[in-house]
């Protein structure tokens, strides 16, 4: 298994959407179908064009991606069958290589994401309510030193 992290290209869109959908359904069962449908619609039209996106690829298949808005991690998703295999870490390592300090928001109810970010070394900064869903989100920060 050879893992490559490379820049996103438009030809990756279907695999990125599939990765997002499977991982999001697993990590965010508390989100409404309407909200998830809106996000799925916004990914290719709004999020990807405005983010610096990197994909993790194994055997020519996209198995994860990270979308960066400067040092803010807008999204990090890995195909559930590849969880625990270092894909998320490789993507986060790329973001740290590019920006050093990172920040992100994660739903408080997203136990999978919170566990990953805590293991990686992110620390809680604040907690607020996510306007679009009414769920609590945590603002986390990662510092290299």
């Amino acid at each position: 298994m050879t893992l490559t992290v490379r820049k996103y290209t438009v030809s990756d869109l279907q695999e990125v959407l599939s990765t997002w959908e499977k991982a999001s359904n697993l990590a965010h069962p508390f989100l409404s179908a309407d909200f998830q449908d809106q996000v799925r619609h916004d990914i290719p039209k709004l999020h990807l064009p405005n983010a610096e996106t990197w994909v993790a690829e194994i055997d020519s298949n996209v198995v994860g991606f990270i979308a960066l808005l400067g040092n803010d991690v807008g999204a990090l998703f890995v195909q559930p069958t590849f969880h625990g295999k270092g894909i998320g870490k490789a993507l986060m390592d790329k973001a740290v290589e590019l920006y050093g300090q990172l920040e992100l928001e994660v739903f408080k109810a997203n136990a999978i994401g919170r566990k990953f970010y805590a293991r990686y070394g992110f620390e809680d900064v604040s907690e607020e309510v996510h306007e679009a869903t009414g769920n609590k989100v945590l603002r986390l920060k990662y510092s290299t030193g």
Side-chain angles (χ1 to χ4, degrees):
M1 173 174 104
T2 304
L3 172 65
T4 306
V5 175
R6 62 165 176 79
K7 276 242 185 205
Y8 166 84
T9 64
V10 176
S11 63
D12 298 323
L13 179 60
Q14 290 311 313
E15 287 179 296
V16 163
L17 285 172
S18 170
T19 297
W20 170 81
E21 192 165 26
K22 289 175 181 161
S24 188
N25 287 341
L26 182 66
H28 305 135
F30 49 88
L31 294 177
S32 72
D34 285 349
F35 179 77
Q36 292 282 59
D37 288 345
Q38 184 61 53
V39 173
R40 190 180 210 300
H41 177 265
D42 289 346
I43 287 172
K45 293 177 173 49
L46 181 66
H47 302 305
L48 289 174
N50 292 303
E52 176 185 356
T53 303
W54 294 80
V55 296
E57 191 177 66
I58 293 175
D59 301 329
S60 302
N61 296 309
V62 172
V63 296
F65 70 96
I66 189 167
L68 304 168
L69 301 158
N71 75 324
D72 201 86
V73 178
L76 173 66
F77 291 94
V78 173
Q79 283 281 357
T81 54
F82 286 90
H83 282 185
K85 298 189 185 326
I87 313 289
K89 182 183 182 311
L91 289 163
M92 196 60 76
D93 288 350
K94 173 52 88 173
V96 169
E97 174 191 319
L98 293 167
Y99 295 101
Q101 291 194 156
L102 300 172
E103 291 195 26
L104 59 83
E105 283 186 349
V106 61
F107 285 107
K108 191 172 185 179
N110 176 355
I112 295 167
R114 288 183 59 202
K115 182 178 172 186
F116 170 82
Y117 296 128
R119 262 198 334 260
Y120 197 87
F122 279 83
E123 296 177 357
D124 291 17
V125 175
S126 62
E127 180 177 318
E128 41 192 76
V129 174
H130 185 252
E131 235 176 86
T133 65
N135 286 280
K136 289 186 176 173
V137 290
L138 300 173
R139 185 94 187 143
L140 306 180
K141 185 174 188 170
Y142 175 83
S143 300
T144 52

